[in-house]
């Protein structure tokens, strides 16, 4: 392990300071707005009336939105009980209006990129003929998310993040044309330094390298000069949605995707970011459990399109690519498992679809024997609660693994508030005792599985840019099942305790926290 340099310590301090300053500024803006409205209310009754009328109108507007009631009701309750505070909070972080230009940029680039993907109707028909349930899910992904299912592809499952990292380093070291890296969080320490060494060597060999990261996800890890330092090394770099104080600056929507793509032939995704804690170099929350997959073959084309979407839509001032074909080579790949299918997909909050949630719900709906999930945060809508409970009530063994040691205690309290409603319907809950379980996976009936970046929480399902991969009838499904079984053995099952074991005070506190669940 390399010693931490003064420069890296400063980078972390500067990033944390910038985050603290931005959050403090937002808090002060919210308090100022609330104080202004409150102060005016004292001097003019008509101001008080207007404030309450605005709160009522906003409540009606929210009620009429095409959203799940689980996300609408907390805002309505806040505005009706505390009009000034509720309106101020909604304007700051709840309004979440996508600017017309932002939406147009994504629609424009998707209109160019998504048609470059093959339809693969024969592959879909073959999967549906062999397995109607898996075929139905793949049909939804193809029809609505616009990502096809592939055959000439192999999926390799990694039960530890470090195994995925080593495979990524090996693949990048052999890159001949390009390397694309997109992660929610990058920490300029040991793991990144290993990756950067490979990237610099490949740049010297003429390989094009691009790095894309989310500013809020990385804000405590790197400074704003990270881009400048990479560009000086010949690595192109862009940042998504720089975090700054202000009124509703696209705040809720973050890039939570995690992708590494090499030459359009090999791709990686999963739950882990490129920071030390994900690989147990540091252990702030006990052992860290994360997983990932490597995709080899034709399906990598979809992952490349997902990266190019973000790279070319992030800012209007950036020069867009014009020749996408050079990054989408026609792969002639002979799969080691020719009977397997894979459908990498992405979820985009710019549209009205919730692909990540729909795939998870479909997994539970199509399961016949069992359906397992793992997630670091469990903050779900009524629709998903119903789907998981209904599957359990019709005899499916539905289980969910959550962390035994939380990284955010308040979010952990909200996560546990959902246990009772699930276990009453027959869902079994497990907490992983060694530490923090960060993997985002689902598997059903030894046939089909998903792995990617999508948590079972509002932020992943509704607000973030996410990606995952649906795969079936391949060894990776069985490898994931074995990992689930091994993880269950390391868990404590809390099903019975949360059926009846919570005190009234704890239940009341957890219900209060749910009012802010959409922000967690």
């Amino acid at each position: 392990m390399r010693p931490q340099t003064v420069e890296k310590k400063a980078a972390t301090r500067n990033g944390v300071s910038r985050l603290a300053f931005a959050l403090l500024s937002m808090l002060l803006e919210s308090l100022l707005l609330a104080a202004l409205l409150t102060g005016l209310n004292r001097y003019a009754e008509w101001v008080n009336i207007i404030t309450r009328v605005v709160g009522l109108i906003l409540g009606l507007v929210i009620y009429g939105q095409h959203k799940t009631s689980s996300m609408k009701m907390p805002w309505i309750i806040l505005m009706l009980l505390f009009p000034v505070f509720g309106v101020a909070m909604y304007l700051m972080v709840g309004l979440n209006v996508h600017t017309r230009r932002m939406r147009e940029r994504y629609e424009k680039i998707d209109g160019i990129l998504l048609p470059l993907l093959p339809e693969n109707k024969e592959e879909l028909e073959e999967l549906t003929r062999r397995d109607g349930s898996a075929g139905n899910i793949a049909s939804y992904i193809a029809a609505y998310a616009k990502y096809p299912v592939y055959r000439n592809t192999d999926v390799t499952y990694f039960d530890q993040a470090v195994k995925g990292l080593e495979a990524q380093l090996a693949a990048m070291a052999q890159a001949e044309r390009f390397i694309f890296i997109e992660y929610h969080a990058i920490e300029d320490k040991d793991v990144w330094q290993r990756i950067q060494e490979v990237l610099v060597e490949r740049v010297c060999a003429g390989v094009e390298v691009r790095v894309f990261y989310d500013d809020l996800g990385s804000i405590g890890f790197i400074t704003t000069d990270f881009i400048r330092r990479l560009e000086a090394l010949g690595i192109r770099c862009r940042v998504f949605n720089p975090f700054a104080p202000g009124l509703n600056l696209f705040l809720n929507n973050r890039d939570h995707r995690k992708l590494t793509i090499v030459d359009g032939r090999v791709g990686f995704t999963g739950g882990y970011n490129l920071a030390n804690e994900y690989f147990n170099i540091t252990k702030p929350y006990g052992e860290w459990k994360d997983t990932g997959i490597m995709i080899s073959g034709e399906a990598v084309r979809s992952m490349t399109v997902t990266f190019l979407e973000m790279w070319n839509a992030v800012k209007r001032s950036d020069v867009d690519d014009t020749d996408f074909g050079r990054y989408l080579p026609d792969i002639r790949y002979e799969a080691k498992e020719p009977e397997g299918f894979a459908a990498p997909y992405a979820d985009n909050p710019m549209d009205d679809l919730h692909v990540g949630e729909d795939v998870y719900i479909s997994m539970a709906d199509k399961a016949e024997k069992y359906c397992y999930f793992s997630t670091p945060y469990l903050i779900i809508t009524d629709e998903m609660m119903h789907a998981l409970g209904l599957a359990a009530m019709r005899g499916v063994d539905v289980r969910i693994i959550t962390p035994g040691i939380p990284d955010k205690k308040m979010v952990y309290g909200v996560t546990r508030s959902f246990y009772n409603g699930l276990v009453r319907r027959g869902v079994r809950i497990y907490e992983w005792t060694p530490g923090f379980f960060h993997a985002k996976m689902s598997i059903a009936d030894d046939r089909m599985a998903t792995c990617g970046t999508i948590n079972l929480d509002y932020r992943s399902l509704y607000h973030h840019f996410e990606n995952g991969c649906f795969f079936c009838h391949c060894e990776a499904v069985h490898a994931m099942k074995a990992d689930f079984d091994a993880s269950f053995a390391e868990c404590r099952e809390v099903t019975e305790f949360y059926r009846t074991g919570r005190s009234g005070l704890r239940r009341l506190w957890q219900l209060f926290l749910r009012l802010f669940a959409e922000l967690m």
Side-chain angles (χ1 to χ4, degrees):
M1 181 184 303
R2 295 176 177 81
Q4 189 179 39
T5 64
V6 173
E7 181 183 5
K8 291 177 186 175
K9 291 179 180 178
T12 301
R13 283 199 306 271
N14 292 339
V16 173
S17 298
R18 189 162 67 93
L19 175 61
F21 174 76
L23 292 176
L24 179 61
S25 299
M26 291 175 57
L27 176 62
L28 290 175
E29 287 176 359
S30 298
L31 293 175
L32 179 61
L33 180 59
L36 178 63
L37 294 176
T38 303
L40 289 174
N41 287 346
R42 294 173 182 169
Y43 295 102
E45 181 61 25
W46 62 269
V47 176
N48 180 44
I49 294 173
I50 289 176
T51 302
R52 294 183 180 278
V53 169
V54 169
L56 177 61
I57 293 174
L58 281 176
L60 292 173
V61 170
I62 294 170
Y63 180 75
Q65 291 176 343
H66 298 291
K67 292 182 178 180
T68 172
S69 60
S70 305
M71 299 180 67
K72 294 188 290 188
M73 290 309 298
W75 286 116
I76 294 174
I77 293 172
L78 273 177
M79 289 182 187
L80 294 182
L81 290 178
F82 312 103
V84 174
F85 176 74
V87 170
M89 283 294 294
Y90 185 73
L91 292 176
M92 282 298 300
V93 295
L95 188 59
N96 199 34
V97 174
H98 314 308
T99 67
R100 176 178 58 84
R101 291 179 178 177
M102 174 71 75
R103 185 184 292 270
E104 287 177 352
R105 287 205 300 273
Y106 279 90
E107 289 177 349
K108 179 180 178 180
I109 195 62
D110 286 344
I112 298 172
L113 285 170
L114 293 177
L116 298 178
L117 295 175
E119 293 187 5
N120 287 354
K121 291 183 177 179
E122 293 183 1
E123 288 83 348
L124 182 57
E125 291 173 356
E126 174 63 18
L127 174 58
T128 304
R129 184 185 65 79
R130 290 181 48 193
D131 186 335
S133 297
N136 288 159
I137 297 175
S139 294
Y140 165 80
I141 296 172
Y144 292 93
K146 305 301 181 182
Y147 286 92
V149 66
Y150 298 83
R151 293 228 22 204
N152 298 323
T153 298
D154 286 314
V155 180
T156 303
Y157 175 75
F158 303 114
D159 60 0
Q160 297 178 24
V162 68
K163 295 180 181 179
L165 174 64
E166 295 301 330
Q168 283 174 240
L169 290 168
M172 290 188 294
Q174 299 178 24
E176 298 177 352
R177 300 177 59 191
F178 64 87
I179 299 172
F180 293 160
I181 294 176
E182 177 181 351
Y183 280 83
H184 177 66
I186 296 176
E187 182 182 26
D188 192 11
K189 288 188 178 178
D190 305 85
V191 170
W192 176 253
Q193 288 301 313
R194 291 186 63 193
I195 293 172
Q196 183 174 293
E197 288 177 4
V198 175
L199 298 182
V200 171
E201 189 276 329
R202 288 290 83 201
V203 166
C204 294
V207 174
E208 180 182 359
V209 178
R210 300 183 183 183
V211 174
F212 190 90
Y213 69 91
D214 182 83
D215 189 50
L216 183 58
S218 303
I219 200 168
F221 294 142
I222 54 180
T223 61
T224 52
D225 70 343
F226 182 73
I227 293 179
R228 178 183 58 77
R229 289 189 284 116
L230 289 190
E231 295 280 357
L233 295 172
I235 300 171
R236 298 183 65 190
C237 185
R238 290 181 182 175
V239 59
F240 177 80
N241 195 11
F243 186 72
L247 184 62
N248 192 49
L249 290 177
F250 202 38
L251 177 65
N252 272 341
N253 302 110
R254 311 308 313 180
D255 180 15
H256 198 242
R257 294 174 181 174
K258 300 163 182 68
L259 292 165
T260 297
I261 302 156
V262 179
D263 291 342
R265 299 176 179 274
V266 181
F268 297 83
T269 191
Y272 56 88
N273 286 295
L274 303 182
N276 282 357
E277 62 192 40
Y278 295 85
F279 305 93
N280 284 301
I281 295 174
T282 58
K283 298 184 179 182
Y285 315 108
E287 291 294 319
W288 190 289
K289 170 69 173 179
D290 235 321
T291 62
I293 55 175
M294 177 177 70
I295 300 173
S296 306
E298 294 182 7
V300 180
R301 189 180 186 92
S302 290
M303 303 175 76
T304 307
V305 162
T306 298
F307 176 89
L308 290 171
E309 175 200 49
M310 295 300 285
W311 184 267
N312 289 279
V314 60
K315 288 174 62 178
R316 182 178 53 177
S317 60
D318 287 329
V319 178
D320 293 342
D321 290 312
T322 56
D323 180 15
F324 293 108
R326 59 192 292 233
Y327 303 114
L328 300 170
D330 291 326
I331 302 296
R332 294 294 178 262
Y333 183 81
E334 185 174 345
K336 299 175 183 177
E337 296 184 272
E339 300 303 310
F341 295 83
Y345 60 91
D347 200 353
N348 182 338
M350 294 290 99
D351 56 34
D352 295 324
L353 291 174
H354 309 297
V355 179
E357 183 180 44
D358 291 342
V359 171
Y360 281 146
I361 288 176
S362 297
M363 292 283 290
D365 179 62
K366 300 299 181 182
E368 298 175 358
K369 298 178 180 178
Y370 75 85
C371 189
Y372 299 159
F373 295 87
S374 69
T375 179
Y377 316 114
L378 183 65
I379 305 175
I380 55 177
T381 61
D382 293 338
E383 290 80 359
M384 180 163 285
M385 177 86 75
H386 178 74
L388 297 178
L390 182 60
M393 292 168 70
R394 60 183 172 82
V396 177
D397 181 10
V398 181
R399 305 184 190 185
I400 303 174
I401 296 179
T402 62
I405 299 176
D407 67 335
K408 305 176 183 70
K409 291 186 178 180
M410 186 173 292
V411 179
Y412 197 50
V414 179
T415 286
R416 284 178 158 178
S417 76
F418 284 86
Y419 288 179
N420 179 258
L422 289 166
V423 301
R424 287 174 57 193
R425 293 170 172 84
V427 178
R428 300 171 67 182
I429 307 294
Y430 292 78
E431 293 182 343
W432 192 65
T433 56
F436 190 62
F437 205 106
H438 191 254
K440 308 96 164 47
M441 309 181 295
S442 178
I443 186 172
D445 297 342
D446 292 346
R447 296 182 294 117
M448 52 188 176
T450 64
C451 182
T453 70
I454 308 169
N455 299 320
L456 287 175
D457 68 0
Y458 290 168
R459 302 204 64 77
S460 272
L461 301 176
Y462 286 84
H463 296 314
H464 288 168
F465 292 83
E466 304 277 0
N467 75 279
C469 182
F470 174 75
F471 51 97
C472 53
H473 300 288
C474 56
E475 179 57 34
V477 176
H478 301 291
M480 181 184 290
K481 175 58 161 52
D483 190 26
F484 262 109
D485 289 339
S487 297
F488 286 133
E490 298 175 321
C491 291
R492 59 174 176 265
E493 184 174 1
V494 297
T495 302
E496 289 305 316
F497 176 79
Y498 279 91
R499 194 185 304 277
T500 57
R502 294 183 301 162
S503 67
L505 185 60
R506 174 175 291 185
R507 288 198 298 269
L508 182 61
W509 171 243
Q510 291 176 343
L511 288 174
F512 173 75
L513 289 179
R514 281 205 195 182
L515 289 175
F516 308 95
E518 188 180 351
L519 306 178
M520 297 182 181

